């Protein structure tokens, strides 16, 4: 399964009562489809997965699948810090028809590298669809070492890794040592082109919600060998990438979605909506790129 080069970690739209916005999911998926997204992650970090119940995650997977309508793959975020619960949700997601799983490292309980290996192995071997590992130690408190990722790459359906450690040492080692059939994705929009320069395949993006067409052009230019144009796009989009993380994500993203007339709603506690100054920063960046008009 080729998930393409521009995967979007989709926000979960909520209605005014704080429930999943059913028509909003369809609208957001259709927007992503029309602006270059090649696959979508449902219930990832950007989708506020820690605050979604088991039942809500299944509902979101089903809604996203229905909206995608086979046009792009749907990747389900099914992992937590409970291996048994992760296996159960992964099996249910597979039955619904998702085309892949995103498995974040267990958070809070900080397992050893052997524990990480056993956790991911147990989940991957419980299903028959592709698995993407997700390394984001800034959120989970534990790094998946390169040696552990390489061990996991021997499992047939472990086919990709979303690398968001921010460590160029880790990124360079992984890019150099990984097998060709393990696809490396940037987990940070601003590192997309730097990581592709050393062998990454693409990005699992937040910014694609609002600048998907521009990111598609950036990636297409790089793949075509026009590194200069790709670098120009990367620099032009950098302020947007940074604004989206000016406070706890996905607060700035949901502010941007509202400004663009797209569904998103508020974030769920313990997150709070982005403060006014961050919303204004986001609006200035979207105006600069012609996405919204102030006033």
């Amino acid at each position: 399964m080729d998930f393409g080069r521009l995967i979007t970690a989709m926000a979960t739209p909520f209605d005014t009562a704080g429930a999943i916005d059913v028509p909003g999911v369809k609208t957001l998926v259709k927007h992503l489809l029309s602006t270059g997204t090649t696959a979508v992650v449902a219930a990832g970090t950007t989708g506020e997965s820690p605050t979604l119940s088991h039942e809500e995650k299944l509902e979101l997977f089903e809604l996203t699948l229905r909206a995608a309508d086979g046009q792009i793959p749907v990747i389900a975020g099914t992992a937590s810090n409970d291996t048994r619960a992760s296996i159960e949700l992964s099996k249910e997601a597979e039955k619904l028809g998702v085309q892949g799983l995103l498995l974040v490292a267990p958070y809070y309980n900080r397992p050893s590298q052997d524990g990480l290996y056993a956790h991911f192995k147990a989940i991957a071997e419980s299903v028959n669809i592709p698995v993407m590992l997700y390394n984001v130690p800034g959120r989970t408190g534990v790094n998946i070492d390169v040696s552990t990722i390489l061990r996991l790459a021997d499992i047939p359906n472990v086919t990709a890794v979303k690398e968001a450690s921010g460590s160029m040492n880790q990124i360079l080692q992984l890019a150099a040592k990984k097998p060709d059939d393990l696809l490396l994705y940037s987990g940070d929009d601003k590192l997309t082109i730097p990581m592709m320069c050393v062998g990454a395949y693409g990005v699992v993006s937040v910014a694609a919600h609002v600048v998907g067409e521009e990111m598609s052009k950036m990636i297409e230019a790089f793949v075509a060998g026009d590194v200069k144009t790709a670098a120009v796009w990367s620099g032009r989009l950098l302020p947007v990438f940074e604004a989206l993380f000016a406070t706890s994500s996905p607060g700035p993203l949901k502010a941007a979605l509202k400004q663009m007339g797209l569904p998103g709603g508020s974030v769920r506690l313990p997150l709070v909506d982005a403060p006014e100054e961050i919303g204004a920063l986001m609006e200035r960046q979207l105006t600069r790129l012609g996405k919204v008009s102030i006033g």
Side-chain angles (χ1 to χ4, degrees):
M1 171 63 67
D2 185 354
F3 296 130
R5 297 184 187 271
L6 183 59
I7 302 172
T8 301
M10 188 180 73
T12 302
F14 296 125
D15 62 23
T16 54
I20 292 175
D21 178 357
V22 174
V25 173
K26 181 177 180 179
T27 299
L28 190 55
V29 172
K30 296 300 183 187
H31 163 74
L32 296 174
L33 270 167
S34 69
T35 53
T37 288
T38 59
V40 65
V41 175
T45 308
T46 308
E48 300 177 71
S49 57
T51 67
L52 295 173
S53 69
H54 183 96
E55 292 73 22
E56 284 179 318
K57 288 177 182 177
L58 291 174
E59 178 188 7
L60 182 61
F61 299 156
E62 193 164 10
L63 289 169
T64 307
L65 281 164
R66 196 180 308 155
D69 194 28
Q71 295 177 72
I72 56 172
V74 174
I75 303 167
T78 57
S80 69
N81 57 356
D82 179 342
T83 306
R84 287 187 297 177
S86 301
I87 290 171
E88 179 184 355
L89 183 59
S90 297
K91 288 180 175 179
E92 290 176 287
E94 182 180 26
K95 286 181 182 177
L96 286 175
V98 303
Q99 288 85 11
L101 303 179
L102 179 72
L103 304 182
V104 70
Y107 37 87
Y108 185 75
N109 40 22
R110 300 185 69 181
S112 67
Q113 293 300 310
D114 285 341
L116 287 170
Y117 175 79
H119 169 80
F120 288 122
K121 182 174 185 287
I123 302 171
E125 290 183 345
S126 74
V127 296
N128 295 299
I129 52 178
V131 163
M132 178 185 290
L133 308 174
Y134 180 15
N135 186 38
V136 59
R139 286 185 180 266
T140 64
V142 63
N143 186 65
I144 313 172
D145 290 350
V146 171
S147 59
T148 303
I149 294 172
L150 297 178
R151 288 177 68 195
L152 288 163
D154 288 335
I155 301 170
N157 62 328
V158 174
T159 62
V161 56
K162 176 185 176 183
E163 175 55 51
S165 67
S167 166
M168 286 309 296
N169 185 59
Q170 166 126 349
I171 290 164
L172 291 169
Q173 285 193 49
L174 182 55
K177 296 178 180 179
K178 74 174 187 66
D180 290 342
D181 59 357
L182 181 74
L183 297 183
L184 174 60
Y185 285 88
S186 174
D188 185 337
D189 284 301
K190 68 177 179 285
L191 291 182
T192 303
I193 296 304
M195 285 185 62
M196 291 185 77
C197 283
V198 297
Y201 188 68
V203 61
V204 182
S205 174
V206 175
H209 286 86
V210 295
V211 287
E213 292 169 326
E214 292 81 357
M215 292 190 73
S216 294
K217 291 176 182 177
M218 177 182 77
I219 292 169
E220 287 167 5
F222 181 85
V223 173
D226 187 355
V227 178
K228 182 177 180 179
T229 296
V232 169
W233 272 117
S234 186
R236 188 177 183 210
L237 296 175
L238 179 60
V240 177
F241 300 157
E242 293 182 332
L244 285 165
F245 287 88
T247 189
S248 300
S249 179
L253 171 62
K254 287 204 163 181
L257 291 173
K258 182 178 180 181
Q259 291 161 8
M260 292 177 65
L262 292 166
S266 294
V267 294
R268 281 183 173 177
L269 289 170
L271 298 181
V272 293
D273 290 339
E276 286 186 16
E277 61 269 23
I278 300 299
L281 170 65
M282 200 72 251
E283 189 173 27
R284 287 196 299 273
Q285 292 305 324
L286 294 176
T287 301
R288 177 176 64 87
L289 293 170
K291 299 296 180 179
V292 300
S293 298
I294 294 179

